[in-house]
């Protein structure tokens, strides 16, 4: 069977078992088919928590694309191993969009790594618009303030900052459920934005390129 025929038949998320079933083939044959498709650029492989290999088979995999985790890893000393395949095709992905993605993951390590993006962010209206669309204005603002305490970060536009600040009746939000800082110097950020900061200063050491920050799980 031609490679493109195999691609059409198997496109989607597959395992060795599902490929064996669809092709009515043994394991050795299924592995060879994956090899052919991967060689053509159509396969991205990830591992589940149970260490099972899952194959994302798509024509788009063979095309140039950028993922949110790619952007984070290019800009942060804290490295992320993507738990899933996130690729965006046909357009440029902004740093501002990537910050909002990181917040939405709810992943402690991903949010930590994304703090480095604030060093290069300059389109504050875009950050505000994306944050508002995702109900994350205060979270983005609090992370911006945190980044300014530990990194050389560009100053946010004052008008945008005022739009992102909480109202008097707003309740506190968690960036990461159940986590809040014990650092006195970060408590002011929590009160200002009504957002609980999930990091202590020791957690942030990795942003200086000193290796993995202590106490941070993937």
């Amino acid at each position: 069977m031609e490679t493109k025929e195999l691609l059409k038949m198997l496109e989607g998320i597959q395992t060795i078992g599902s490929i064996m079933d669809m092709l009515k083939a043994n394991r050795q044959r299924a592995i060879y088919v994956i090899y052919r498709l991967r060689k053509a650029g159509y396969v991205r492989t990830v591992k589940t928590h149970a260490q099972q290999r899952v194959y994302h088979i798509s024509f788009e995999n063979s095309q140039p694309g950028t993922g949110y985790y790619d952007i984070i890893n290019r800009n942060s000393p804290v490295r992320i191993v993507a738990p899933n395949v996130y690729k965006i095709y046909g357009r440029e992905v902004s740093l501002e969009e990537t910050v909002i993605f990181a917040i939405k993951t709810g992943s402690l390590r991903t949010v930590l790594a994304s703090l480095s993006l604030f060093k290069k962010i300059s389109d504050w209206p875009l950050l505000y618009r994306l944050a508002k669309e995702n109900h994350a204005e205060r979270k983005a603002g609090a992370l911006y303030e945190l980044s300014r305490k530990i990194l050389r970060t560009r100053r946010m536009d004052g008008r945008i900052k005022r739009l992102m600040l909480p109202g008097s009746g707003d309740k506190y939000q968690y960036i990461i459920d159940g986590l809040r800082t014990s650092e006195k110097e970060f408590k002011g950020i929590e009160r200002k934005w009504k957002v609980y900061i999930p990091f202590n200063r020791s957690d942030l050491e990795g942003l200086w390129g000193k290796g993995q920050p202590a106490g941070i799980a993937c």
Side-chain angles (χ1 to χ4, degrees), residues 120-148:
K120 297 183 179 180
I121 282 179
S122 58
D123 193 340
W124 303 112
L126 175 60
L127 180 68
Y128 170 67
R129 178 174 64 79
L130 293 171
K132 186 175 182 180
E133 288 174 358
N134 289 278
H135 309 290
E137 304 102 298
R138 287 190 280 146
K139 294 178 184 180
L143 291 173
Y144 156 76
E145 295 257 3
L146 179 63
S147 73
R148 282 187 60 81

Side-chain angles (χ1 to χ4, degrees), residues 10 48 62 108 113 126 143 154 184:
L10 299 175
T48 67
S62 65
L108 192 65
L126 175 60
L143 291 173
R154 298 179 182 183
K184 290 183 179 179

Side-chain angles (χ1 to χ4, degrees), residues 49-69:
H49 291 298
Q51 298 302 304
Q52 180 186 27
R53 291 180 183 273
V54 176
Y55 305 99
H56 295 248
I57 301 173
S58 172
F59 174 76
E60 287 187 337
N61 288 335
S62 65
Q63 305 303 301
T66 302
Y68 295 116
Y69 292 109

Side-chain angles (χ1 to χ4, degrees), residues 149-204:
K149 279 190 173 291
I150 59 174
L151 301 167
R152 291 186 176 181
T153 303
R154 298 179 182 183
R155 188 178 298 277
M156 181 184 288
D157 179 280
R159 181 180 63 87
I160 296 299
K161 189 174 183 179
R162 287 190 293 273
L163 289 172
M164 296 175 74
L165 284 166
S168 57
D170 288 337
K171 296 181 179 179
Y172 273 74
Q173 297 177 339
Y174 283 98
I175 295 174
I176 307 295
D177 286 345
L179 294 184
R180 53 193 298 183
T181 188
S182 61
E183 299 283 351
K184 290 183 179 179
E185 64 179 311
F186 298 159
K187 291 293 185 180
I189 298 175
E190 290 189 333
R191 289 191 296 270
K192 180 176 181 179
W193 292 94
K194 293 187 177 181
V195 168
Y196 293 121
I197 300 298
F199 307 114
N200 294 324
R201 180 162 283 276
S202 62
D203 299 326
L204 305 175

